[in-house]
Amino acid sequence: MNTADRSAGMRLARWSAVVIIVGVGAAAFRLSFATLRDLAILAHIPAKDAWLFPVIVDGTIIQATLGVLVLAKSRERQWFLWVLVVGAVVSVVGNSLHAVAAGRELPWWASALVAAIAPISLLADTHGLAVLFRAAQQDSCPTPAVAEEAAPTVAVPDEPPTEVPAAAPVAEPVAVAPKIRPAVVPVRPIRPVRPVQEALPLTVS
């Protein structure tokens, strides 16, 4: 099989899967809608408003599914995964409870659970809408400017290494013995000698 035939086969398989999913989804929604509406009536919800119960449950599941697909690469996807799992469990349990009830009215605790689903779904859907708006704002924020390209550098040829003359050996200083000065002996001052005057001859007249 060449490349063209393989591509045509892949396109046919994808479109067939889309058509099957749409058909199965429509049939499952119709049956689930009818079952959950009857369950709401058994939970003492007025018949004229009972159709709102499946709209709430399946609508929450659809919003969670879209959130999972849109935020495939975002951390916020975890919230929609939890909502999708919880919504699917509620839908499955509701359909099973309807079959078990077999047309009998639900006990008070089951009716209380059915009545609590509507406000809980409203809170989950409101938070999901806020998450989608926050993710859209993050995507619309301008990306940081790309750093300016660095100026082209001019290649400079490598210069040959220059020889550095070896430094002349420095002679180590020779230790010189300190000179010994002779001790200074104090000298007594010499008193000057007075000249001896010769006595003049005395004459007696």
Side-chain angles (χ1 to χ4, degrees), residues 87-146:
V89 170
V90 170
S91 181
V92 172
V93 171
N95 282 269
S96 301
L97 186 59
H98 176 267
V100 172
R104 296 186 301 269
E105 292 185 354
L106 299 179
W108 66 268
W109 58 268
S111 300
L113 291 178
V114 172
I117 291 175
I120 294 175
S121 297
L122 177 61
L123 293 176
D125 294 343
T126 304
H127 182 73
L129 183 62
V131 170
L132 288 175
F133 276 117
R134 183 166 61 245
Q137 290 177 356
Q138 292 176 357
D139 293 341
S140 62
C141 291
T143 56
V146 181

Side-chain angles (χ1 to χ4, degrees), residues 26-200:
F29 178 81
R30 178 66 183 89
L31 292 178
S32 178
F33 183 91
T35 301
L36 293 178
R37 182 187 59 189
D38 292 342
L39 181 66
I41 295 174
L42 297 178
H44 309 288
I45 295 177
K48 63 178 181 179
D49 297 329
W51 65 273
L52 295 174
F53 182 70
V55 170
I56 292 172
V57 176
D58 294 336
T60 302
I61 294 175
I62 293 174
Q63 186 202 46
T65 304
L66 294 176
V68 170
L69 294 177
V70 172
L71 303 178
K73 298 181 180 180
S74 176
R75 294 181 302 176
E76 305 291 351
R77 183 174 184 261
Q78 192 68 26
W79 165 259
F80 290 105
L81 281 175
W82 279 107
V83 174
L84 181 59
V85 171
V86 174
V89 170
V90 170
S91 181
V92 172
V93 171
N95 282 269
S96 301
L97 186 59
H98 176 267
V100 172
R104 296 186 301 269
E105 292 185 354
L106 299 179
W108 66 268
W109 58 268
S111 300
L113 291 178
V114 172
I117 291 175
I120 294 175
S121 297
L122 177 61
L123 293 176
D125 294 343
T126 304
H127 182 73
L129 183 62
V131 170
L132 288 175
F133 276 117
R134 183 166 61 245
Q137 290 177 356
Q138 292 176 357
D139 293 341
S140 62
C141 291
T143 56
V146 181
E148 297 181 357
E149 297 182 359
T153 56
V154 180
V156 180
D158 296 336
E159 296 181 359
T162 56
E163 297 182 358
V164 180
V170 180
E172 297 182 357
V174 180
V176 180
K179 296 180 180 181
I180 301 176
R181 296 181 180 182
V184 179
V185 180
V187 180
R188 295 180 178 180
I190 302 174
R191 296 180 179 179
V193 181
R194 294 182 179 179
V196 179
Q197 297 180 354
E198 294 180 359
L200 297 177

